[in-house]
C-alpha cells in the first residue's frame, strides 16, 4: 500500500481516468447505501488516507486523475466499511503518536489510552539505557514508539500471535528505515520469551475484557478485532495477574511495570501489586477522560 503511492496519485491525469471528485462521489454512494453516517465526509477521508494526503486535500484536487489501481483499493475499502469494518482496517493503517502503522484484523487498532501508557513510560524514563520489554505487542505500537522516542539500549517485544508479529515486524522495519532504533521481536506467551532478560521497563496492554462482557462491546470491536487480544479469563484479570506476578522476577531493582487496565478493575490490579510485596510506588494513572487506566509499579531495590 505504501509502495508506488506517488505514482498512483497522479497529477492532472488524462480525462479517461476517474477523478478524485468522481471517486469520492462513487464511494459516498456506496457508503450511503450501506447506512454509514456522514458518508460524504467518510468517502473523502478514505480517499485521503489511501493517497497518503491530508484530510482536506481531496476537496482542493477534485479534478485530479486517479489511477484505476488506486480506485479499486478505495472501492474495496468502502465495501469493507459497509460490511462493518472499522475505518482503520478498511484503509489498513492507523495513527499512533508520531507513527503511522499498518494494521489489519490480526492486531488491535491502537488507541489513545495506549498512547497515554507510552507517555507514562517515557515520562518515568528520564535516564538513557536499559532494556524495555513490550508484552503482547500487536501492531508494535508501544515497542516502536519506545524505540523511536525513548533512549533505551534495547527494545524487545513479544506476542503469542505469529500473525501479529508479522504486522509488527513490517511496522518496525519501516520505522527503522526512517531512523528509529530497532525492535527485537519474540514469539510466545506473556514473559516466557524474555525470561533471561533483566528489564528496566516492562510495559503491556494485555487482554482485559471478561468473556461475559463481549455482548456490550461495539460490533466493530467485537466482530472485527482479534479476540485473543481482547478477552481474558479470571473475570478479565488473568493476564494482568500473571504480568504482576512474573514481572517482579525480571525487572531490575528500581525498574518500572506499566500496564493498561480496565477502569472497572484498576483498583484490583493495584491491590495485587501491593500484595505482591516486591513493588513500591504503586499507583493508578488516569486517562484523558478521567478513568483509572494505567497501573504503574516500581520494583523494590531489595
Amino acid at each position: 500500500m505504501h509502495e508506488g503511492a506517488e505514482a498512483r496519485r497522479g497529477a492532472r491525469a488524462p480525462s479517461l481516468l476517474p477523478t478524485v471528485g468522481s471517486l469520492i462521489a462513487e464511494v459516498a454512494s456506496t457508503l450511503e447505501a450501506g447506512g454509514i453516517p456522514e458518508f460524504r465526509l467518510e468517502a473523502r477521508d478514505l480517499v485521503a488516507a489511501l493517497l497518503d494526503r491530508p484530510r482536506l486535500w481531496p476537496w482542493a484536487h477534485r479534478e485530479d486523475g486517479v489511477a484505476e489501481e488506486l480506485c479499486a483499493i478505495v472501492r474495496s475499502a468502502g465495501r469493507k466499511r459497509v460490511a462493518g469494518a472499522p475505518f482503520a482496517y478498511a484503509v489498513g493503517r492507523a495513527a499512533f503518536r508520531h507513527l503511522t502503522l499498518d494494521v489489519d484484523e490480526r492486531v488491535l487498532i491502537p488507541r489513545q489510552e495506549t498512547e497515554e501508557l507510552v507517555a507514562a513510560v517515557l515520562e518515568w524514563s528520564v535516564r538513557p539505557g536499559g532494556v524495555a520489554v513490550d508484552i503482547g505487542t500487536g501492531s508494535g505500537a508501544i515497542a516502536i514508539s519506545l524505540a523511536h522516542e525513548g533512549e533505551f539500549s534495547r527494545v524487545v517485544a513479544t506476542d503469542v500471535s505469529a500473525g501479529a508479529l508479522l504486522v509488527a515486524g513490517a511496522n518496525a522495519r519501516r520505522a527503522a528505515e526512517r531512523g528509529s532504533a530497532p525492535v527485537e521481536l519474540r514469539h510466545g506467551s506473556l514473559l516466557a520469551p524474555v525470561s533471561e532478560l533483566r528489564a528496566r521497563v516492562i510495559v503491556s496492554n494485555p487482554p482485559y475484557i471478561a468473556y461475559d462482557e463481549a455482548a456490550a462491546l461495539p460490533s466493530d470491536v467485537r466482530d472485527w478485532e482479534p479476540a485473543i487480544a481482547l478477552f481474558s479469563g479470571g473475570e478479565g484479570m488473568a493476564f494482568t495477574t500473571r504480568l504482576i506476578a512474573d514481572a517482579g522476577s525480571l525487572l531490575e531493582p528500581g525498574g518500572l511495570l506499566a500496564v493498561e487496565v480496565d477502569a472497572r478493575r484498576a483498583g484490583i490490579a493495584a491491590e495485587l501489586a501491593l500484595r505482591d510485596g516486591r513493588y513500591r510506588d504503586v499507583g493508578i494513572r488516569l486517562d484523558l477522560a478521567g478513568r483509572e487506566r494505567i497501573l504503574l509499579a516500581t520494583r523494590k531495590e531489595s
Side-chain angles (χ1 to χ4, degrees):
M1 187 179 301
H2 295 278
E3 294 179 0
E6 290 293 337
R8 294 199 302 267
R9 288 174 191 145
R12 298 283 174 180
S15 59
L16 292 178
L17 287 178
T19 64
V20 170
S22 66
L23 181 60
I24 291 174
E26 179 185 348
V27 175
S29 178
T30 299
L31 297 177
E32 181 183 18
I36 302 295
E38 304 288 348
F39 51 89
R40 289 188 183 87
L41 292 178
E42 182 148 331
R44 176 206 66 187
D45 291 347
L46 286 171
V47 171
L50 289 167
L51 269 69
D52 290 323
R53 293 295 194 180
R55 292 180 68 191
L56 298 181
W57 183 90
W59 291 148
H61 295 80
R62 296 179 66 88
E63 300 305 317
D64 284 15
V66 185
E68 284 292 350
E69 177 191 357
L70 181 57
C71 288
I73 293 172
V74 175
R75 292 173 186 133
S76 176
R79 291 192 294 270
K80 287 189 75 171
R81 285 292 290 132
V82 170
F87 186 91
Y89 287 162
V91 301
R93 65 188 65 174
F96 186 84
R97 292 181 65 84
H98 305 291
L99 306 169
T100 298
L101 301 169
D102 282 353
V103 295
D104 60 30
E105 291 87 337
R106 292 173 289 181
V107 299
L108 286 181
I109 298 168
R111 291 171 168 82
Q112 185 177 49
E113 293 87 348
T114 309
E115 292 189 14
E116 295 168 34
L117 175 65
V118 171
V121 173
L122 292 172
E123 289 171 15
W124 176 87
S125 180
V126 294
R127 64 176 176 83
V131 178
V133 176
D134 173 25
I135 302 299
T137 195
S139 66
I142 294 173
I144 299 169
S145 291
L146 294 179
H148 180 65
E149 300 180 61
E151 296 186 65
F152 299 99
S153 59
R154 186 178 179 191
V155 177
V156 182
T158 77
D159 206 294
V160 71
S161 166
L165 288 176
L166 291 175
V167 177
N171 285 325
R173 286 190 295 273
R174 189 165 57 256
E177 290 170 359
R178 297 174 181 174
S180 290
V183 174
E184 179 184 340
L185 299 172
R186 298 188 182 186
H187 182 235
S189 179
L190 291 172
L191 294 167
V194 292
S195 58
E196 88 286 2
L197 296 179
R198 292 288 276 176
R200 184 162 166 249
V201 171
I202 294 175
V203 59
S204 181
N205 175 21
Y208 54 65
I209 300 171
Y211 289 104
D212 61 7
E213 295 167 346
L217 292 174
S219 60
D220 60 349
V221 175
R222 181 184 62 247
D223 299 338
W224 286 85
E225 300 201 56
I228 194 173
L230 289 171
F231 300 109
S232 171
E235 298 182 344
M237 286 297 297
F239 288 100
T240 301
T241 300
R242 282 280 308 280
L243 279 168
I244 293 169
D246 295 349
S249 300
L250 271 65
L251 281 169
E252 63 183 38
L256 177 70
L257 173 65
V259 183
E260 185 173 323
V261 296
D262 189 300
R264 296 165 295 183
R265 293 180 273 271
I268 299 173
E271 184 177 353
L272 286 171
L274 287 168
R275 287 183 177 179
D276 182 276
R278 292 172 293 175
Y279 299 101
R280 59 173 173 81
D281 301 332
V282 175
I284 298 292
R285 178 167 171 158
L286 305 182
D287 64 19
L288 294 179
R291 297 167 298 192
E292 295 183 322
R293 182 60 67 183
I294 300 167
L295 169 69
L296 299 174
T298 302
R299 180 70 166 85
K300 291 179 178 178
E301 280 71 14
S302 60

